[in-house]
Amino acid sequence: MNTSSTHTTPSTAAAATSLATAQVWVALQFDAAIELCMGAHAFGAQSDQQHASAQAWRAAAVVQALQMTLDMRRGGELARQLFELFDYVQRRLRGSTAVEPLVAYREAADLLSQVRQAWQAEPELVPTDARHMTPQLH
């Protein structure tokens, strides 16, 4: 009986742990960004533009951190499209004080939710070093 397939080596276990950690990090970042967008929407609905803007800028920082994890070389067209989408979401969040901010906050949350759901189906697309990326919240 060959038992070698049932045992993991330390390097295999470390790689699996690293990937799982990166996947959890990305999931938490998506959740944080979505929650911040919804917080911005809630503050905006209460006419508290100062807090709405602060939440939107924090959400944009988290989206930027997600964007930085994209492996443009290995990710090909998918990485390029996600990069552009994340860039668009950041522009909407940072420029949302001008025209229809509630629409921008909701749109950002909806787009991020869609990407989050799609990513859940393919979490192995996350690079193992994503756990080192942290957003700069101001």
Side-chain angles (χ1 to χ4, degrees):
M1 181 169 125
N2 182 358
T3 60
S4 63
S5 65
T6 60
H7 296 289
T8 59
T9 65
S11 62
T12 304
T17 300
S18 180
L19 180 60
T21 302
Q23 291 170 345
V24 168
W25 182 88
V26 169
L28 290 171
Q29 298 311 302
F30 271 112
D31 292 345
I34 293 163
E35 186 175 321
L36 286 163
C37 289
M38 296 309 296
H41 186 274
F43 281 121
Q46 297 171 3
S47 299
D48 186 345
Q49 294 308 315
Q50 181 179 1
H51 286 100
S53 180
Q55 292 284 88
W57 277 79
R58 286 185 183 104
V62 174
V63 173
Q64 183 177 22
L66 284 166
Q67 186 180 41
M68 291 178 355
T69 68
L70 295 172
D71 186 336
M72 302 304 288
R73 185 178 51 84
R74 290 184 8 203
E77 182 64 16
L78 176 60
R80 187 189 66 72
Q81 289 177 359
L82 285 172
F83 187 93
E84 290 177 8
L85 178 68
F86 289 156
D87 189 58
Y88 173 78
V89 168
Q90 289 175 71
R91 285 193 319 268
R92 290 291 284 158
L93 290 169
R94 291 186 173 133
S96 60
T97 56
V99 178
E100 298 186 33
L102 296 180
V103 173
Y105 302 147
R106 175 65 70 182
E107 178 186 21
D110 289 346
L111 289 170
L112 292 171
S113 293
Q114 290 173 31
V115 175
R116 168 78 159 93
Q117 289 172 1
W119 173 79
Q120 282 181 302
E122 300 292 335
E124 66 275 1
L125 296 176
V126 178
T128 57
D129 62 349
R131 70 187 180 284
H132 298 295
M133 309 306 273
T134 56
Q136 299 298 316
L137 301 180
H138 298 114

